[in-house]
Amino acid sequence: MRAVAALWVFLFHISQATYLDRLRAQLPGALNAMLFDHGVLGIAIFFVLSGFVVALAAGPGAASPPSFGAFLMRRLVRLTPPYYASIAATLALMAAWAIWSSGPVRWPSQASIVAHLLYLQDAFGFPEINGVYWTLVVELQFYALYALLTLLAQRVAPASKQHGARIAMFAVSAGVSMFVATGDLPAPAWFGNMAQSWCAFAAGVLGGWAWTQGGAAVWASRGVIAAFALLALSGPPHATGYFIVSALTAVVLSEARLLGPLPGWLASTPLRRLGAVSYSFYLLHAPLMFLGFGIVHHLLPPSAAADLVGLAASLAICLVASAAMQRWVEAPSQRWSRRIGPHGALRRPVLAER
C-alpha cells in the first residue's frame, strides 16, 4: 500500500510539473483525473498507514513519559538520516541544475536550512526546500499528539478503563479533525496541516487497535470510517477525495482479517519491493523526476510517446536512487532505531546487526 501511495504522489507531481501534457492530451479525462490529478491523495494513504503501524508498534498497554520519549527518539532516528540525505541531494541537484543551465542558484538561506534540519520550517514560515517535507513535520506532530492523548487517558481514567478512554479520545479527536478539514472549524496557524490531517492518522490508529484488541476499537474504527463516508457525501468538494481515500484505506487495514487475503496484485513482488524503498522514493522523487524527462526530451522530438518514455526513465532513475539510499542510509537508520530501548537506553546490537 505504501508503494501505491508513493507512485500516486509521484504521478501527481510529474503532471503538475507539466512534463506529461502531450500524453495527457491523448488520455480520457476520467483516467487523467484518477492517475494524475488525484495523486496527491496518496498522502492520505500514508497518514492512515502511519497511524496503523504506530498503534501496532506502541501496543495498547500502559505507557510513561520516558517510554514515549524513547518512542519519539526511535521515530526520529528512523526518519531523520534519510531526510537529511534527501536535503543534501536536493541542494546538490539545485546547484547542478543551475550550473548546467547557466542560471542563478536559488539557494535557501542558512536560517531556512537550519529550520529544515530541526523540522521547524513551517513554524518560521520558510518555503519547503522539497515540496514533500511538510508531511514529515506533520508526522512528528502526529507522534507527539499520540503520546499526549495516550498519557492523558491514563491520567483521567482508572486502569481498567484506560484503553476505552484512549479509544474515545482518538475517535472524538478524529471527528474534530474532520471538521477542520471541511473548514467548519478554524485551523491553528502552525498546526493547521496536522489538525486537518489527524483524522486519517487517528483512523489508522483505531484500525490497528481493532486488529490487536477487537471489541470497542472495532466499532470506533467503523464509526470513524462511517463519518468519513458521510462527510464525503455531504461535505465540501475539496475534502471529498481525502475522506474517500482515508475511509477506503482504513477499511482495508481494519477489516483485512475479515476480508481475507489482500488482492494478489497488492501483494505482488514489484509492489512489495517498491514498498520497501517507498520512504526513500518519496523523499527523492521531487528533485529527481525532471532528469529522465530532460534526457528523453533532448533525444526525442516532443510527442505523447516521448512523454511516456520520459515517464519510464524518470521512474527508473528515482527507483535506482531510492534503492541506493534505502540500502546505505535508511536500512542502517532502522537498525539504529531498534537499538533504543523502552526508556531510551541503547541496547547492545544483535549479531546480525554487527
Side-chain angles (χ1 to χ4, degrees), residues 38-306:
H38 297 319
V40 69
L41 298 176
I43 300 296
I45 299 176
F46 277 128
F47 285 160
V48 178
L49 282 169
S50 179
F52 184 81
V53 171
V54 165
L56 295 184
S64 64
S67 66
F68 268 121
F71 163 75
L72 293 173
M73 189 182 302
R74 283 194 296 271
R75 297 309 298 168
L76 277 172
V77 171
R78 165 71 179 88
L79 296 177
T80 301
Y83 171 56
Y84 283 2
S86 74
I87 291 176
T90 301
L91 294 175
L93 286 166
M94 290 170 60
W97 175 257
I99 294 172
W100 184 79
S101 62
S102 300
V105 179
R106 297 181 179 178
W107 206 257
S109 66
Q110 292 182 352
S112 175
I113 294 174
V114 171
H116 275 77
L117 295 176
L118 298 175
Y119 297 94
L120 292 175
Q121 61 268 30
D122 290 351
F124 291 99
F126 291 113
E128 304 288 351
I129 295 174
N130 180 328
V132 304
Y133 287 163
W134 71 271
T135 59
L136 274 72
V137 176
V138 168
E139 276 286 317
L140 294 182
Q141 293 169 353
F142 283 161
Y143 303 151
L145 184 55
Y146 177 94
L148 288 174
L149 289 180
T150 301
L151 294 173
L152 179 61
Q154 292 179 187
R155 179 64 63 89
V156 302
S160 62
K161 299 189 180 296
Q162 285 177 2
H163 187 53
R166 284 206 300 174
I167 292 172
M169 285 184 178
F170 275 80
V172 170
S173 65
V176 172
S177 172
M178 291 180 197
F179 285 106
V180 175
T182 62
D184 294 312
L185 289 176
W190 181 19
F191 299 103
N193 286 330
M194 189 276 286
Q196 62 186 354
S197 304
W198 171 258
C199 51
F201 182 86
V205 170
L206 292 170
W209 289 340
W211 263 66
T212 57
Q213 296 297 304
V218 173
W219 294 107
S221 174
R222 291 173 178 173
V224 169
I225 291 168
F228 275 134
L230 181 62
L231 286 175
L233 294 173
S234 60
H238 75 268
T240 298
Y242 184 77
F243 290 150
I244 291 174
V245 172
S246 297
L248 290 175
T249 307
V251 165
V252 170
L253 292 173
S254 63
E255 307 293 340
R257 289 185 175 180
L258 299 178
L259 296 172
L262 293 177
W265 66 271
L266 198 56
S268 63
T269 299
L271 279 182
R272 289 171 65 87
R273 288 180 176 173
L274 178 56
V277 302
S278 60
Y279 179 47
S280 294
F281 181 88
Y282 180 72
L283 291 174
L284 290 176
H285 78 271
L288 286 176
M289 65 185 185
F290 71 90
L291 292 177
F293 288 95
I295 295 170
V296 170
H297 289 169
H298 182 72
L299 298 175
L300 300 177
S303 67

